[in-house]
Amino acid sequence: MLKIIRFFWGYVTFIAAGKGPERFINLAAKAGVGLFNIKKCRDKEELRCSVAASEYKALRRIAKKSCIKIRIQQKQGLPFILKRYKKRKGLFVGLVCFALSLHFLSLYIWSIDIKGAETIDKAELTGLISELGVCAGTLKSELDTPMIEKTIMKNFSNIAWASVNVKGSTLSFELKERVEPPSLIPKTAPCNIKASKDGQITRMEVYEGTPEVKLGDAATTGQLLVSGIVEDDFGACTIKHAEAKVYALTKRELKAEVELCQREKQSTGKKVTRKRLKLFGIELPLTLTSQPGGDFEKTVQVSDVSFWGVSLPASYYKEVWTQVAEKEVRLSQEEALQKANEELEKQEQSELGEAKIISKHKVERLISGKALVTADYTCEENIAQKEEIKIEE
């Protein structure tokens, strides 16, 4: 801290030469002149000292009285630096302009940061933010953060809460997505268990309730499997929340078909590239190419402009327009059947994911220019489905 203070006030380093430098130091101390960094020069009757710039003149009288000669060796500190560049007015004007520019730029939003959007479409969210007039180049004073938060919550039902904060020149959106609870019947509500599919009962795990079927029975969709009405040893009935797993052999059928003749869009090889720079919300074209007409597909690459790791209020856009034409593609029988089998596997994963496949019978056919794959499954799966018991008062 002392060094910082001395730098701002300025100090002078000088050489004191002559006999009896101790008397010079004593007289300076008696006069209230603070010397520091006192060092004796080797093989010479000289002292190297430093003193505040404002106190150097007082040393001349003290030096004369003690028969010491002093000469300035170095001038250091902010006052001497400013004096050195005193005639260079452009430098000071530049510093003032730089400071004013920084202050002016700090009034605007430079970048937008979105956190917590995992399943939410960021493009849709960015579009909504732009519709609200919020972008790089927006004045901080014009931001209505409570209104922005309410609008986001209103337009996105899967957001639990949203927080909008201004950190420096960055507008930060912190989102928390809503976790949708499964649609379950409350444990306190009485319910029965019915069959969700047709099947033959193979095993039962009843935790609460009265079984209405037994192993080997055939069950139809909607049939009561476990009743929530329980009778005790004394004949009294109570209504319970039935809990059970009822496994049954079920029959399932899946099919997938693929046309042998298909029409697909393919690139013709012609591409048009357009570039632009978006600065403070203003778009500046970097190429003079106009938007092509006809059947083109557009891909956009967006990259933020940064300098030394600091995000600038600018974005670089590169549009690539690729011309496409619809062509007829004829698949071979093997290719069509392969695609149909791949589609069938996807259906298995989505519709029979939790079921245990006991047997599978697959048939591949070519009918009327189509590859048709049909599969019959025998599965073992839990067909228990809860249904709340409605009690009227």
Side-chain angles (χ1 to χ4, degrees), residues 82 85 88-102:
L82 295 177
Y85 296 101
R88 300 185 181 180
K89 296 180 180 180
L91 182 63
F92 292 99
V93 174
L95 288 173
V96 172
C97 292
F98 178 72
L100 292 175
S101 300
L102 282 181

Side-chain angles (χ1 to χ4, degrees), residues 317-340:
Y317 289 79
K318 181 181 179 181
E319 297 178 1
V320 179
W321 296 74
T322 305
Q323 188 180 42
V324 293
E326 199 174 67
K327 295 182 179 180
E328 186 176 281
V329 178
R330 183 170 183 84
L331 301 177
S332 65
Q333 296 180 1
E334 291 78 10
E335 290 174 339
L337 287 173
Q338 183 181 354
K339 282 194 172 184

Side-chain angles (χ1 to χ4, degrees), residues 124-330:
E124 185 179 353
L125 179 59
T126 305
L128 175 62
I129 294 170
S130 299
E131 289 177 6
L132 296 174
V134 180
C135 61
T138 304
L139 270 172
K140 294 180 185 178
S141 58
E142 295 180 355
L143 292 174
D144 187 355
T145 53
M147 183 274 292
I148 297 172
E149 292 172 357
K150 290 178 182 177
T151 306
I152 292 174
M153 295 285 292
K154 182 180 178 181
N155 286 270
F156 291 89
S157 58
N158 55 340
I159 293 180
W161 59 265
S163 176
V164 182
N165 303 297
V166 179
K167 300 177 181 177
S169 295
T170 300
L171 185 63
S172 176
F173 288 82
E174 296 182 9
L175 311 175
K176 180 66 176 179
E177 296 183 357
R178 191 188 305 277
V179 179
E180 295 293 340
S183 55
L184 299 175
I185 299 174
K187 292 288 184 181
T188 55
C191 68
N192 293 322
I193 292 180
K194 295 187 176 182
S196 60
K197 297 180 181 68
D198 297 343
Q200 184 178 12
I201 309 298
T202 56
R203 56 193 175 99
M204 298 178 64
E205 300 174 9
V206 181
Y207 309 111
E208 188 72 62
T210 304
E212 298 293 332
V213 292
K214 58 183 183 295
L215 298 180
D217 287 355
T220 58
T221 304
Q223 180 180 342
L224 181 64
L225 302 178
V226 179
S227 174
I229 301 174
V230 180
E231 183 178 351
D232 59 18
D233 296 336
F234 301 99
C237 293
T238 55
I239 303 177
K240 302 282 187 180
H241 181 95
E243 286 281 357
K245 289 182 180 179
V246 181
Y247 293 89
L249 291 177
T250 60
K251 299 291 184 180
R252 307 287 287 273
E253 181 183 7
L254 298 175
K255 66 178 181 178
E257 60 180 35
V258 174
E259 298 278 352
L260 291 178
C261 291
Q262 298 183 352
R263 299 192 67 83
E264 296 181 354
K265 287 187 176 182
Q266 296 182 352
S267 172
T268 62
K270 182 179 179 180
K271 292 185 178 182
V272 176
T273 303
R274 302 178 69 207
K275 301 175 183 179
R276 68 182 190 273
L277 185 68
K278 192 172 184 180
L279 180 65
F280 282 113
I282 302 173
E283 293 189 358
L284 305 173
L286 302 179
T287 55
L288 301 177
T289 308
S290 60
Q291 181 175 323
D295 199 358
F296 281 81
E297 290 183 350
K298 181 179 73 170
T299 57
V300 182
Q301 298 175 359
V302 183
S303 56
D304 295 328
V305 181
S306 60
F307 181 71
W308 284 359
V310 179
S311 297
L312 300 179
S315 299
Y316 173 74
Y317 289 79
K318 181 181 179 181
E319 297 178 1
V320 179
W321 296 74
T322 305
Q323 188 180 42
V324 293
E326 199 174 67
K327 295 182 179 180
E328 186 176 281
V329 178
R330 183 170 183 84

Side-chain angles (χ1 to χ4, degrees), residues 27 69 229 252 286 378 392:
L27 290 174
K69 292 182 179 181
I229 301 174
R252 307 287 287 273
L286 302 179
T378 301
E392 295 183 1

